[in-house]
Amino acid sequence: MTAPELTHPLPRTRRRLTPALRWWWMFQRISGVVLVALIFTHLFYNLILGGGVSQIDFGFVAGKWAAPLWQWWDFTMLVLAMLHGMNGMGYLINDYARSKRSRGILHILLGAATAVIIVLGTLVIFTFDPCPAGANPQNLNVPLCQELGKL
Amino acid sequence: MTAVDDAPIAVDEVPTLTVTLRIRRMNPEGNADHAPGEDYWEEFQVEAHATDRLLDALHKVKWEQDGTLAFRRSCAHGVCGSDAMRINARNRLACKTLLKDLNPAKPILVEPIAGLPVEKDLIVDMEPFFASYRQIMPFLMTSGPTPERERLQTPAQRERFEDTTKCIMCAACTTACPVFWTDGQYFGPQAIIGAHRFIFDSRDEGQWDRLEILNDTAGVWKCRTTFNCTEACPRGIEVTKAISEVKRALNTGKI
């Protein structure tokens, strides 16, 4: 048996682009804390305040999204939750996907799913029509639609 | 008060027991029953004292039953770190593990440490492990002329990195790390421990070179704080804590 050939350690001047891993690590922790606050406020507002669980219907959501605060609240929640989940799933893929090929495919699928959901969700939040023409007024948020002049 | 030797215990009086060792074996050249490179379990029965260590039992197998059993050991007293192996699914040193602590009623499972290529039986190729250690430049880096006397530091400065100087490079921590098992790029806990020992040494000036290496894709950010390394360390080093200290130094820019 021969001794392994020793290679010189890395040169001291080595500089690399700032590694994305560290930013993801930080993001995962910060977004986790922010998400706890966002999600519990979201649940408290929807399920406990006002009429409780039974208040949630099309009109309730329409009323919420008429306010920019809730639009941006839900948008932040959407983006942070999707990226946080994507990063966590990415760790799992790295752990369990054995071959480079399956790892690559799963990462692409994960990225695509994240992108599609973020884009669709953002579209829904910001282009939401609270009073679609021809809808049954029973399902609508009547005061809001009257205020908007659509009813 | 003087110690009184009331009733000396004769060697025969130490209770003996029969233990079964189930050893994970692999012979690169093969033998009558197994193909080259095939791994398989083999059981051995050994008469042992309750005070014996697993290493003694392995010696009995090798010396009295099957001379082809291959494992590493050097000092046999928990200092050299040669005989790390996976014992009952936990990484330990065979020379620091007493048989009576292993529930001798059941077969004791002995496997090579995981995540490194097996060369034969319980011997693994440690080169990837040492290569990671070399990457973090485990030597004193200073500037200026060499002083005529030793480089001084206060007890408090020494205390800062005392814990990580205890490492014996047995690889028990690194090969207990699930990220190391699946991610061939990760330096592993031991290399980070090795860097920690110099990063927090007041005499060393290469901190930021090492931190930059650990900030890289193979470095500390792969750590998932599962504490497997801390649990595995036969020297009781708080490995996960040391890794977190490196992360904090990178995040705050302060050492």
Side-chain angles (χ1 to χ4, degrees):
Chain A
M1 169 137 189
T2 52
E5 193 177 315
L6 297 184
T7 49
H8 191 75
L10 296 168
R12 292 180 66 169
T13 50
R14 198 182 72 126
R15 283 266 179 276
R16 282 219 189 154
L17 290 172
T18 170
L21 268 182
R22 178 179 156 218
W23 295 111
W24 276 113
W25 186 89
M26 295 270 270
F27 171 82
Q28 198 73 352
R29 272 134 196 92
I30 294 168
S31 65
V33 173
V34 174
L35 276 171
V36 166
L38 288 176
I39 290 172
F40 277 98
T41 310
H42 169 83
L43 292 176
F44 183 71
Y45 187 88
N46 287 8
L47 305 181
I48 295 174
L49 284 187
V53 184
S54 53
Q55 71 185 334
I56 299 177
D57 55 15
F58 185 87
F60 176 76
V61 176
K64 264 186 104 182
W65 279 347
L69 169 73
W70 288 115
Q71 280 188 325
W72 286 104
W73 192 287
D74 287 4
F75 173 73
T76 316
M77 228 165 32
L78 170 76
V79 173
L80 287 184
M82 288 313 296
L83 292 180
H84 186 96
M86 179 190 80
N87 192 30
M89 277 302 291
Y91 290 148
L92 291 181
I93 290 174
N94 286 342
D95 278 359
Y96 289 100
R98 283 307 170 93
S99 71
K100 260 197 165 153
R101 211 177 108 86
S102 59
R103 199 178 274 213
I105 292 172
L106 286 171
H107 272 297
I108 289 171
L109 285 178
L110 177 66
T114 309
V116 166
I117 293 174
I118 288 180
V119 169
L120 279 184
T122 309
L123 270 177
V124 169
I125 292 172
F126 290 105
T127 63
F128 182 73
D129 182 2
C131 313
N136 182 354
Q138 271 192 334
N139 295 331
L140 297 182
N141 189 334
V142 178
L144 176 69
C145 292
Q146 282 169 343
E147 195 184 317
L148 292 172
K150 291 195 176 176
L151 202 71
Chain B
M1 189 179 162
T2 48
V4 181
D5 197 359
D6 285 333
I9 298 174
V11 175
D12 307 331
E13 287 177 39
V14 176
T16 59
L17 48 117
T18 308
V19 290
T20 307
L21 303 181
R22 285 197 82 199
I23 302 177
R24 188 83 175 160
R25 304 200 57 182
M26 188 282 270
N27 190 332
E29 289 158 1
N31 54 27
D33 301 322
H34 299 280
E38 176 196 344
D39 48 28
Y40 57 96
W41 292 96
E42 190 166 357
E43 287 200 6
F44 297 94
Q45 303 260 331
V46 180
E47 285 290 319
H49 295 300
T51 50
D52 278 348
R53 304 155 302 165
L54 180 72
L55 182 64
D56 298 314
L58 287 172
H59 276 154
K60 279 200 146 186
V61 172
K62 186 171 175 67
W63 294 340
E64 296 165 12
Q65 298 185 28
D66 185 350
T68 65
L69 178 67
F71 57 90
R72 269 196 200 101
R73 74 107 171 85
S74 184
C75 77
H77 289 82
V79 179
C80 71
S82 301
D83 61 351
M85 47 190 80
R86 201 167 141 97
I87 301 162
N88 281 353
R90 283 183 55 191
N91 281 0
R92 319 180 206 220
L93 299 182
C95 59
K96 285 185 84 174
T97 308
L98 293 180
L99 289 175
K100 69 181 173 64
D101 297 335
L102 287 174
N103 184 15
K106 281 187 178 173
I108 296 167
L109 303 181
V110 186
E111 297 162 81
I113 44 180
L116 292 168
V118 177
E119 292 193 326
K120 188 183 178 190
D121 293 344
L122 301 173
I123 296 181
V124 296
D125 179 9
M126 301 277 278
E127 185 43 33
F129 170 80
F130 292 134
S132 296
Y133 186 55
R134 282 198 297 274
Q135 291 268 302
I136 54 95
M137 301 184 282
F139 41 82
L140 188 74
M141 295 203 273
T142 57
S143 58
T146 309
E148 294 195 0
R149 50 171 303 177
E150 64 267 41
R151 299 168 200 270
L152 296 178
Q153 64 184 172
T154 65
Q157 286 171 329
R158 163 73 193 190
E159 192 55 36
R160 186 72 191 84
F161 63 96
E162 170 69 22
D163 200 33
T164 44
T165 61
K166 294 189 270 178
C167 179
I168 55 174
M169 300 193 57
C170 64
C173 60
T174 294
T175 57
C177 174
V179 184
F180 182 79
W181 294 337
T182 54
D183 192 320
Q185 297 291 307
Y186 184 42
F187 283 147
Q190 194 283 326
I192 301 172
I193 285 294
H196 180 284
R197 181 250 170 276
F198 286 99
I199 289 168
F200 295 96
D201 186 339
S202 59
R203 299 165 295 189
D204 186 82
E205 292 168 31
Q207 305 96 337
W208 286 103
D209 293 301
R210 294 196 186 85
L211 281 170
E212 202 190 320
I213 292 168
L214 293 182
N215 197 20
D216 205 75
T217 47
V220 289
W221 307 113
K222 293 246 159 116
C223 168
R224 215 79 56 69
T225 41
T226 55
F227 284 90
N228 280 19
C229 48
T230 303
E231 211 174 285
C233 180
R235 306 294 309 243
I237 301 173
E238 294 176 289
V239 185
T240 313
K241 185 182 167 202
I243 297 175
S244 297
E245 284 172 0
V246 173
K247 286 179 191 162
R248 194 178 312 135
L250 280 167
N251 278 334
T252 60
K254 284 197 283 273
I255 289 169

